[in-house]
C-alpha cells in the first residue's frame, strides 16, 4: 500500500540554524501539506502546495518557513533560522484532490528539537 | 473561523467496554468531518469520515454520525479492544484540516 514517508524521524538542531525536513508524498497525489504538533497541543495546519506553488498558508507560516518540490518526488519544508518554539512534530500529508471530502494521507512525522 | 472542540482525555477503559469521544465543530458551510487515529510511534491514519449531514462513517467497529443540528460528530465503539489504544483526533476539512486537541484512549485487558 502506498504511503507517505518522511526523513529524518528525529532532527536535533541549535537555535538559529537552518533545517530541511523531507517528505515523499504518494506518487499520484497532487496536493501536499505540512502540519505541526507542539507537544501537548493541537495538530496545526502550516501550508498547502499545488502545482509548484503555495495554495494556502497559516499565520504560523511566516518568512522563516518555505516549501519546495525540488524534483518529481520530494516535498521539503525549510526553516531558515530555527527558534526554540519551532520544536514540534512536523507531519507531511498528501491527497489526490483538493476537494474537502478527499482523504489526506499522513507520514509518520519528523520530531524537531531546537536547543 | 472553523474549529473543532474535542473531549479531553485521557480515557482509560477495560476491554469490551463502550467508548464514546465527543466532538463538536464550528464552521461556515458544511465541511466534511473526519476521525483520525494515531497509534504509538506512527503517523495519523484516517479512521472514518462523513461528507454531509446525517452521513454515518464507520470502520473497524467505530461509528460517527454527522449531526448538523447539534454540530457534532461523536465517535463510538461498542466493545473496545486493547489494540484500540491510541490517540483519536476529530477534524474538519475546508481544504485544510482543522483538528481537535486529540483524546488519548488506553484499553486495559
Amino acid at each position: 500500500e502506498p504511503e507517505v514517508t518522511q526523513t529524518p524521524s528525529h532532527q536535533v538542531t541549535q537555535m538559529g540554524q537552518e533545517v530541511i525536513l523531507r517528505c515523499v508524498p504518494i506518487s499520484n497525489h497532487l496536493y501536499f501539506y505540512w502540519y505541526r504538533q507542539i507537544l501537548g497541543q493541537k495538530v496545526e495546519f502550516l501550508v498547502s502546495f499545488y502545482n509548484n506553488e503555495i495554495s494556502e498558508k497559516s499565520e504560523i507560516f511566516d518568512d522563516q518557513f518555505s516549501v519546495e518540490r525540488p524534483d518529481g518526488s520530494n516535498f521539503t519544508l525549510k526553516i531558515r533560522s530555527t527558534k526554540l518554539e519551532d520544536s514540534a512534530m512536523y507531519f507531511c500529508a498528501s491527497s489526490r484532490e483538493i476537494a474537502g471530502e478527499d482523504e489526506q494521507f499522513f507520514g509518520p512525522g519528523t520530531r524537531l528539537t531546537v536547543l | 473561523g472553523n474549529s473543532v472542540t474535542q473531549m479531553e482525555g485521557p480515557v482509560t477503559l477495560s476491554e469490551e467496554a463502550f467508548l464514546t469521544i465527543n466532538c463538536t465543530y464550528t464552521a461556515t458551510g458544511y465541511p466534511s468531518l473526519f476521525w483520525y487515529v494515531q497509534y504509538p510511534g506512527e503517523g495519523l491514519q484516517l479512521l472514518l469520515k462523513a461528507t454531509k449531514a446525517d452521513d454515518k462513517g464507520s470502520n473497524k467497529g467505530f461509528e460517527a454520525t454527522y449531526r448538523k443540528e447539534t454540530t457534532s460528530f461523536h465517535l463510538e465503539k461498542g466493545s473496545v479492544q486493547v489494540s484500540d489504544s491510541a490517540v483519536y483526533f476529530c477534524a474538519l476539512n475546508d481544504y485544510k484540516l482543522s483538528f481537535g486537541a486529540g483524546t488519548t484512549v488506553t484499553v486495559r485487558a
Side-chain angles (χ1 to χ4, degrees), chain A residues 33 35 37 40-45 48 56 89 91 98-109, chain B residues 3-5 32 34 36 38 41-46 49 51 89 93-101:
Chain A
Y33 312 84
Y35 294 83
Q37 184 180 30
Q41 298 185 24
K42 289 185 178 186
V43 177
E44 301 171 290
F45 168 77
S48 58
E56 186 173 354
M89 181 73 87
F91 293 104
I98 194 67
E101 65 262 24
D102 201 38
E103 177 183 355
Q104 293 182 22
F105 292 79
F106 282 78
Chain B
S3 66
V4 174
T5 301
S32 295
F34 299 78
Y36 278 82
Q38 185 178 30
E42 299 184 15
L44 298 164
Q45 302 174 24
L46 180 67
K49 70 179 184 182
T51 59
F89 295 91
N93 192 347
D94 59 348
Y95 304 98
K96 63 183 183 291
L97 290 169
S98 297
F99 285 91

Coordinates of all heavy atoms in Angstrom, one line a residue, chain A residues 33 35 37 40-45 48 56 89 91 98-109, chain B residues 3-5 32 34 36 38 41-46 49 51 89 93-101:
Chain A
Y33 N 0.9 18.9 1.9 CA 0.6 19.7 3.1 C 1.7 19.5 4.1 O 2.3 18.5 4.2 CB -0.8 19.3 3.7 CG -1.9 19.2 2.8 CD1 -2.1 18.0 2.0 CD2 -2.8 20.2 2.6 CE1 -3.2 17.9 1.2 CE2 -3.9 20.1 1.7 CZ -4.1 18.9 1.0 OH -5.1 18.8 0.1
Y35 N 1.9 20.0 8.4 CA 1.2 20.3 9.7 C 2.3 20.2 10.8 O 3.3 19.5 10.6 CB 0.1 19.3 10.0 CG -1.1 19.4 9.1 CD1 -1.1 18.7 7.8 CD2 -2.3 20.1 9.4 CE1 -2.1 18.8 6.9 CE2 -3.4 20.1 8.5 CZ -3.3 19.5 7.3 OH -4.4 19.5 6.5
Q37 N 2.7 19.7 15.3 CA 2.1 19.5 16.6 C 3.1 19.7 17.7 O 4.0 18.9 17.8 CB 1.5 18.1 16.7 CG 0.8 17.8 18.0 CD 0.2 16.4 18.1 OE1 0.8 15.5 17.5 NE2 -0.9 16.2 18.8
G40 N 1.8 18.3 23.4 CA 0.6 18.6 24.2 C -0.4 19.5 23.6 O -1.4 19.9 24.3
Q41 N -0.2 20.0 22.4 CA -1.1 20.9 21.7 C -1.7 20.2 20.5 O -1.5 19.1 20.1 CB -0.4 22.2 21.4 CG 0.1 22.9 22.6 CD 0.7 24.3 22.2 OE1 0.4 24.9 21.2 NE2 1.6 24.8 23.1
K42 N -2.6 21.0 19.8 CA -3.3 20.5 18.6 C -2.4 20.4 17.5 O -1.3 21.0 17.3 CB -4.4 21.5 18.2 CG -5.6 21.6 19.1 CD -6.6 22.6 18.5 CE -7.8 22.6 19.4 NZ -8.9 23.4 18.7
V43 N -2.8 19.5 16.5 CA -2.1 19.5 15.2 C -2.6 20.7 14.5 O -3.8 21.0 14.4 CB -2.5 18.2 14.5 CG1 -1.9 18.2 13.1 CG2 -2.1 16.9 15.2
E44 N -1.6 21.5 13.9 CA -2.0 22.8 13.3 C -1.5 22.8 11.8 O -0.4 22.3 11.5 CB -1.2 23.9 14.0 CG -1.5 24.1 15.5 CD -0.6 25.1 16.1 OE1 0.6 24.8 16.2 OE2 -1.0 26.2 16.4
F45 N -2.4 23.3 11.0 CA -2.0 23.4 9.6 C -1.0 24.5 9.4 O -1.0 25.6 10.0 CB -3.3 23.8 8.8 CG -3.1 24.3 7.4 CD1 -2.9 23.4 6.4 CD2 -3.1 25.6 7.1 CE1 -2.7 23.8 5.1 CE2 -3.0 26.1 5.8 CZ -2.7 25.1 4.8
S48 N -0.4 24.5 2.4 CA -0.7 23.5 1.3 C -0.1 24.0 0.0 O 0.2 25.2 -0.2 CB -2.3 23.4 1.2 OG -2.8 24.7 0.9
E56 N -2.3 27.7 0.2 CA -2.8 28.4 1.4 C -1.8 28.3 2.4 O -1.1 27.3 2.5 CB -4.2 27.8 1.8 CG -4.8 28.5 3.0 CD -6.2 28.0 3.3 OE1 -6.7 27.1 2.6 OE2 -6.8 28.5 4.3
M89 N 6.5 18.2 16.4 CA 6.4 17.1 15.5 C 5.8 17.7 14.2 O 4.8 18.4 14.2 CB 5.5 16.0 16.0 CG 5.4 14.8 15.0 SD 6.9 13.8 15.0 CE 6.6 12.7 16.4
F91 N 4.3 17.0 10.5 CA 3.7 16.0 9.6 C 3.5 16.5 8.2 O 3.0 17.6 8.0 CB 2.3 15.6 10.2 CG 2.3 14.9 11.5 CD1 2.0 15.6 12.6 CD2 2.7 13.6 11.6 CE1 2.0 14.9 13.9 CE2 2.7 12.9 12.8 CZ 2.4 13.6 14.0
I98 N -8.1 18.4 -4.1 CA -8.2 19.4 -3.0 C -9.6 19.4 -2.4 O -9.8 20.1 -1.4 CB -7.8 20.8 -3.6 CG1 -7.5 21.8 -2.5 CG2 -8.9 21.3 -4.6 CD1 -6.3 21.5 -1.7
A99 N -10.5 18.7 -3.0 CA -11.9 18.8 -2.6 C -11.9 18.4 -1.1 O -11.2 17.6 -0.6 CB -12.7 17.7 -3.4
G100 N -12.9 19.1 -0.4 CA -12.9 19.0 1.0 C -13.1 17.6 1.6 O -12.7 17.3 2.7
E101 N -13.7 16.7 0.8 CA -14.0 15.3 1.3 C -12.9 14.4 1.0 O -12.9 13.2 1.5 CB -15.3 14.8 0.7 CG -15.3 14.5 -0.7 CD -15.9 15.6 -1.5 OE1 -16.0 16.8 -1.0 OE2 -16.4 15.4 -2.6
D102 N -11.8 14.8 0.3 CA -10.8 13.8 0.0 C -9.9 13.6 1.2 O -9.5 14.5 1.9 CB -10.0 14.3 -1.2 CG -9.3 13.2 -1.9 OD1 -9.8 12.1 -2.0 OD2 -8.1 13.4 -2.3
E103 N -9.5 12.4 1.3 CA -8.6 12.0 2.5 C -7.2 12.5 2.3 O -6.7 12.5 1.2 CB -8.6 10.5 2.6 CG -7.6 10.0 3.7 CD -7.6 8.5 3.7 OE1 -8.3 7.8 3.0 OE2 -6.8 8.0 4.5
Q104 N -6.6 13.0 3.3 CA -5.2 13.4 3.3 C -4.5 12.2 4.0 O -4.8 11.8 5.1 CB -5.0 14.7 4.1 CG -5.6 15.9 3.3 CD -5.3 17.2 4.0 OE1 -4.4 17.3 4.8 NE2 -6.1 18.2 3.7
F105 N -3.4 11.8 3.4 CA -2.6 10.7 3.9 C -1.4 11.3 4.5 O -0.7 12.1 3.9 CB -2.2 9.7 2.7 CG -3.3 8.9 2.2 CD1 -4.2 9.5 1.2 CD2 -3.5 7.6 2.5 CE1 -5.2 8.8 0.7 CE2 -4.5 6.9 2.0 CZ -5.4 7.5 1.1
F106 N -1.1 10.8 5.8 CA -0.1 11.4 6.6 C 1.1 10.6 6.7 O 1.0 9.3 6.7 CB -0.6 11.7 8.0 CG -1.5 12.9 8.1 CD1 -2.8 12.9 7.7 CD2 -0.9 14.1 8.6 CE1 -3.6 14.0 7.8 CE2 -1.7 15.2 8.7 CZ -3.1 15.2 8.3
G107 N 2.3 11.2 6.7 CA 3.5 10.5 7.0 C 3.7 10.3 8.5 O 2.9 10.8 9.3
P108 N 4.7 9.6 9.0 CA 4.9 9.3 10.4 C 5.4 10.5 11.2 O 5.4 10.4 12.4 CB 6.0 8.2 10.4 CG 6.7 8.4 9.1 CD 5.7 8.9 8.1
G109 N 5.9 11.5 10.5 CA 6.3 12.7 11.2 C 7.8 12.8 11.4 O 8.5 11.8 11.4
Chain B
S3 N -13.4 25.6 13.6 CA -12.7 25.0 14.7 C -13.4 23.7 15.2 O -14.6 23.5 14.9 CB -12.6 26.0 15.9 OG -13.9 26.2 16.4
V4 N -12.7 22.9 15.9 CA -13.2 21.6 16.4 C -12.9 21.6 17.9 O -11.8 21.9 18.3 CB -12.5 20.5 15.7 CG1 -12.9 19.1 16.3 CG2 -12.8 20.5 14.2
T5 N -13.9 21.2 18.7 CA -13.7 21.0 20.1 C -13.9 19.5 20.4 O -14.9 19.0 20.1 CB -14.7 21.9 20.9 OG1 -14.5 23.2 20.6 CG2 -14.5 21.7 22.4
S32 N -16.6 18.5 5.3 CA -16.5 17.1 5.6 C -15.9 16.9 7.0 O -15.1 17.8 7.4 CB -15.7 16.4 4.6 OG -16.3 16.5 3.3
F34 N -14.0 14.2 9.9 CA -13.1 13.1 9.9 C -12.8 12.7 11.3 O -12.7 13.5 12.2 CB -11.8 13.3 9.2 CG -11.9 13.7 7.7 CD1 -12.3 15.0 7.3 CD2 -11.6 12.8 6.7 CE1 -12.5 15.3 6.0 CE2 -11.7 13.1 5.4 CZ -12.2 14.3 5.0
Y36 N -9.4 10.8 12.8 CA -8.1 10.2 12.5 C -7.6 9.5 13.8 O -7.9 10.0 14.9 CB -7.0 11.3 12.1 CG -7.1 11.7 10.7 CD1 -8.0 12.6 10.2 CD2 -6.2 11.1 9.8 CE1 -8.0 13.0 8.9 CE2 -6.2 11.5 8.4 CZ -7.1 12.4 8.0 OH -7.1 12.8 6.7
Q38 N -4.0 7.9 15.8 CA -2.6 7.8 15.8 C -2.1 6.7 16.8 O -2.3 6.9 18.0 CB -2.0 9.2 16.2 CG -0.5 9.2 16.1 CD 0.1 10.6 16.4 OE1 -0.5 11.3 17.2 NE2 1.2 10.9 15.9
G41 N 3.9 5.7 18.0 CA 5.1 5.7 17.1 C 4.7 5.8 15.6 O 5.6 5.6 14.7
E42 N 3.4 6.0 15.3 CA 3.0 6.1 13.9 C 2.4 7.4 13.5 O 2.2 8.3 14.4 CB 2.0 5.0 13.6 CG 2.6 3.5 13.8 CD 1.6 2.5 13.5 OE1 0.6 2.8 12.8 OE2 1.8 1.3 13.9
G43 N 2.1 7.6 12.2 CA 1.5 8.8 11.8 C 0.0 8.8 12.0 O -0.6 7.8 12.5
L44 N -0.7 9.8 11.5 CA -2.1 9.9 11.6 C -2.7 9.1 10.5 O -2.4 9.1 9.3 CB -2.6 11.4 11.4 CG -2.1 12.3 12.5 CD1 -2.2 13.8 12.0 CD2 -2.8 12.1 13.8
Q45 N -3.7 8.2 10.8 CA -4.4 7.4 9.9 C -5.9 7.8 9.9 O -6.5 8.0 11.0 CB -4.3 5.9 10.2 CG -2.9 5.4 10.3 CD -2.9 4.0 10.7 OE1 -3.8 3.2 10.6 NE2 -1.7 3.6 11.3
L46 N -6.5 7.8 8.7 CA -7.9 8.1 8.7 C -8.7 6.9 9.2 O -8.5 5.8 8.8 CB -8.4 8.3 7.2 CG -9.9 8.6 7.1 CD1 -10.3 9.9 7.7 CD2 -10.3 8.6 5.6
K49 N -14.9 8.8 7.9 CA -15.3 10.2 7.5 C -16.8 10.3 7.2 O -17.4 9.2 6.9 CB -14.5 10.6 6.3 CG -14.8 9.9 5.0 CD -13.9 10.4 3.9 CE -14.3 9.8 2.6 NZ -13.5 10.2 1.5
T51 N -19.3 13.1 4.8 CA -19.1 14.3 3.9 C -20.4 15.2 3.9 O -20.3 16.3 3.4 CB -18.8 13.8 2.5 OG1 -19.9 13.0 2.0 CG2 -17.5 13.1 2.4
F89 N -8.3 11.8 16.9 CA -8.4 13.2 16.5 C -9.7 13.4 15.7 O -9.8 12.8 14.7 CB -7.2 13.7 15.7 CG -5.9 13.7 16.5 CD1 -5.1 12.6 16.4 CD2 -5.5 14.9 17.2 CE1 -3.8 12.6 17.1 CE2 -4.3 14.9 17.8 CZ -3.5 13.8 17.8
N93 N -12.6 19.4 7.3 CA -11.8 19.7 6.2 C -12.5 20.8 5.3 O -13.6 20.6 4.8 CB -11.7 18.4 5.3 CG -10.6 18.6 4.2 OD1 -10.2 19.7 3.9 ND2 -10.3 17.5 3.6
D94 N -11.9 22.0 5.4 CA -12.3 23.0 4.4 C -11.1 23.3 3.6 O -10.6 24.4 3.5 CB -12.8 24.2 5.2 CG -11.7 24.8 6.1 OD1 -10.7 24.2 6.4 OD2 -11.9 26.0 6.6
Y95 N -10.6 22.3 2.9 CA -9.4 22.3 2.0 C -8.1 22.3 2.8 O -7.1 22.2 2.2 CB -9.4 23.5 1.0 CG -10.7 23.5 0.2 CD1 -11.8 24.2 0.5 CD2 -10.8 22.6 -0.9 CE1 -13.0 24.2 -0.2 CE2 -12.0 22.5 -1.6 CZ -13.1 23.3 -1.3 OH -14.2 23.3 -2.0
K96 N -8.2 22.4 4.1 CA -7.1 22.1 5.0 C -7.8 21.5 6.2 O -9.0 21.8 6.5 CB -6.3 23.3 5.4 CG -7.1 24.4 6.1 CD -6.3 25.6 6.4 CE -7.1 26.6 7.2 NZ -8.2 27.2 6.4
L97 N -7.1 20.7 7.0 CA -7.7 20.0 8.1 C -7.5 20.9 9.4 O -6.4 21.4 9.7 CB -7.0 18.7 8.4 CG -7.4 17.6 7.3 CD1 -6.5 16.4 7.5 CD2 -8.8 17.2 7.4
S98 N -8.6 21.1 10.1 CA -8.6 21.7 11.4 C -8.9 20.6 12.4 O -9.9 19.9 12.4 CB -9.7 22.8 11.5 OG -9.4 23.8 10.6
F99 N -8.0 20.4 13.3 CA -8.0 19.3 14.3 C -8.5 19.7 15.7 O -8.3 20.8 16.1 CB -6.6 18.6 14.5 CG -6.2 17.8 13.3 CD1 -5.4 18.4 12.3 CD2 -6.4 16.5 13.2 CE1 -5.0 17.7 11.2 CE2 -6.0 15.7 12.1 CZ -5.3 16.3 11.1
G100 N -9.1 18.7 16.3 CA -9.4 18.9 17.8 C -8.1 18.5 18.5 O -7.0 18.2 17.9
A101 N -8.1 18.6 19.8 CA -6.9 18.5 20.6 C -6.4 17.1 20.7 O -5.3 16.8 21.2 CB -7.2 19.1 22.0

